[in-house]
């Protein structure tokens, strides 16, 4: 399916103003933001900032590294990486609206010197061979049909001996996914691979496993707690519904079902080579 369709799934059109209004409704001043203020919205993956912190610890990037974040969204993970590791991060994302907002937010929190964002397709990356010491990606590959191109591009831009950190949703054994989910409202733009195929395909490109963990159970606990909170209090002023719209609640309920019925799983992966 075309990249335009994936981009239109994520594009809202008025995201920057919607986010700044929501920040004000949450009692924050959009002109004086701390990076952590944005975490309920800019960490667009299961378990949010906590999952990013875990992956940063597992990946072990250093201040000298230049890391590529593939599918960087509105940039929460890249900014957290830059802050915690002291490294330089380039984010690549298909969705123009996300790239523009990621740049604005980096400026607002004083990180524009260490993070930059490029619009582009992970299946044909606009970078030189061996350009990065590390590649980082979270919850992106589910939208990519051509896994061969994606893994080939990751290998090509990662220098020999570099490290790949991945936090991904993969297919389980329970059958087809209940839609809508946060990455797709219908099956056309959803392309899940299994954990087994992911490992085989990355090893075939010379990457060796340094860490592999199934993180499905904490993912289910995350959605269960989110749904309980929304049932009791309604949606919070700041949350992923600002990115995804009013069907976020239905998406969260489907995510819980998909995880409980083994239709999807979640993996944390670090590979090197
Ligand atoms: C669920 S969001 C995750 C964003 C970010 N990784 C995070 O965790 O906050 C998925 C992101 O992948 C991007 N994406 C999907 N397909 C892509 C592709 N072929 N190339 C680059 N980015 C892509 C989308 O635009 C979206 O920003």
């Amino acid at each position: 399916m075309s990249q335009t369709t994936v981009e239109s799934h994520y594009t809202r059109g008025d995201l920057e103003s919607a986010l700044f209004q929501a920040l004000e409704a949450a009692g924050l001043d959009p002109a004086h933001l701390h990076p952590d203020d944005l975490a309920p919205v800019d960490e667009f993956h299961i378990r949010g900032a906590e999952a990013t912190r875990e992956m940063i610890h597992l990946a072990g990037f250093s201040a000298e590294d230049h890391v590529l974040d593939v599918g960087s969204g509105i940039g929460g993970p890249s900014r957290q990486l830059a802050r915690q590791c002291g490294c330089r991060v380039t984010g690549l994302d298909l969705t123009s609206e996300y790239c523009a907002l990621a740049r604005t937010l980096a400026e607002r929190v004083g990180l524009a010197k260490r993070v930059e964002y490029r619009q582009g397709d992970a299946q044909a990356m606009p970078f030189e061979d061996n350009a990065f010491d590390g590649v980082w990606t979270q919850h992106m590959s589910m939208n990519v049909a051509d896994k061969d191109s994606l893994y080939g591009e990751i290998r090509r831009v990662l220098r020999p001996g570099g490290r790949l950190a991945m936090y991904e949703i993969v297919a389980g054994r329970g059958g087809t996914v209940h839609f809508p989910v946060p990455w797709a409202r219908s099956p056309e733009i959803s392309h899940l691979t299994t954990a087994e195929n992911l490992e085989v395909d990355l090893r075939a490109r010379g990457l060796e496993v340094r860490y592999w963990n199934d993180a499905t159970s904490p993912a289910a606990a995350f959605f269960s707690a989110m749904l309980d909170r929304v049932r009791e209090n309604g949606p919070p002023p700041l949350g992923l519904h600002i990115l995804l719209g009013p069907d976020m609640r239905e998406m969260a309920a489907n995510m819980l079902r998909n995880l409980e019925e083994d239709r999807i799983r979640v993996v944390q992966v670090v590979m090197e080579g």
Side-chain angles (χ1 to χ4, degrees):
M1 188 50 60
S2 74
Q3 65 184 67
T4 314
T5 311
V6 173
E7 186 174 9
S8 47
H9 169 75
Y10 289 107
T11 299
R12 183 182 155 133
D14 62 348
L15 182 56
E16 182 172 315
S17 59
L19 173 59
F20 288 166
Q21 274 173 28
L23 287 164
E24 281 170 9
L28 294 161
D29 176 0
H32 297 96
L33 290 172
H34 185 275
D36 293 341
D37 294 338
L38 298 165
V41 189
D42 72 1
E43 297 270 4
F44 187 4
H45 50 262
I46 301 168
R47 293 199 298 123
E50 182 188 0
T52 297
R53 274 193 295 277
E54 281 176 19
M55 287 307 301
I56 288 173
H57 175 70
L58 293 167
F61 294 129
S62 71
E64 290 72 42
D65 288 335
H66 184 191
V67 177
L68 172 65
D69 180 359
V70 185
S72 43
I74 66 167
S78 49
R79 289 186 290 273
Q80 202 182 150
L81 253 172
R83 279 165 69 213
Q84 293 201 12
C85 303
C87 59
R88 196 150 68 89
V89 186
T90 296
L92 174 73
D93 202 282
L94 192 63
T95 303
S96 307
E97 187 178 37
Y98 283 4
C99 294
L101 182 55
R103 280 181 210 113
T104 303
L105 294 175
E107 298 234 339
R108 296 259 174 143
V109 300
L111 282 166
K113 286 203 167 69
R114 277 196 279 145
V115 294
E116 62 181 345
Y117 300 96
R118 287 279 294 269
Q119 192 278 333
D121 187 349
Q123 297 161 102
M125 297 188 194
F127 305 115
E128 303 282 308
D129 295 358
N130 308 327
F132 297 98
D133 304 295
V135 173
W136 164 283
T137 187
Q138 291 174 299
H139 290 31
M140 189 279 306
S141 67
M142 314 88 70
N143 284 127
V144 176
D146 183 355
K147 305 286 189 220
D148 252 13
S149 296
L150 172 64
Y151 304 147
E153 284 294 84
I154 288 174
R155 173 69 279 180
R156 183 182 67 74
V157 302
L158 181 64
R159 70 159 167 80
R163 206 168 300 154
L164 166 66
M166 239 181 172
Y167 177 52
E168 275 307 336
I169 297 173
V170 292
R173 293 185 191 279
T176 52
V177 167
H178 299 294
F179 291 96
V181 285
W183 68 92
R185 289 186 169 79
S186 58
E188 291 80 16
I189 57 165
S190 179
H191 308 284
L192 295 178
T193 190
T194 62
E196 293 75 15
N197 287 343
L198 177 65
E199 183 178 349
V200 167
D201 289 346
L202 291 172
R203 275 181 186 276
R205 286 173 170 80
L207 293 163
E208 288 301 322
V209 175
R210 295 286 177 254
Y211 181 85
W212 196 286
N213 181 48
D214 183 297
T216 304
S217 324
F222 170 81
F223 283 109
S224 181
M226 178 194 279
L227 287 161
D228 284 349
R229 276 196 309 273
V230 173
R231 222 171 279 126
E232 274 173 36
N233 310 318
L238 277 183
L240 292 179
H241 59 279
I242 294 160
L243 301 179
L244 288 167
D247 52 355
M248 177 62 216
R249 188 175 178 161
E250 190 185 353
M251 290 174 174
N254 283 336
M255 287 299 280
L256 183 57
R257 270 179 86 192
N258 288 321
L259 288 158
E260 287 177 345
E261 295 170 9
D262 192 30
R263 294 169 194 273
I264 59 172
R265 297 178 189 175
V266 181
V267 288
Q268 296 171 308
V269 175
V270 179
M271 299 188 82
E272 202 171 58

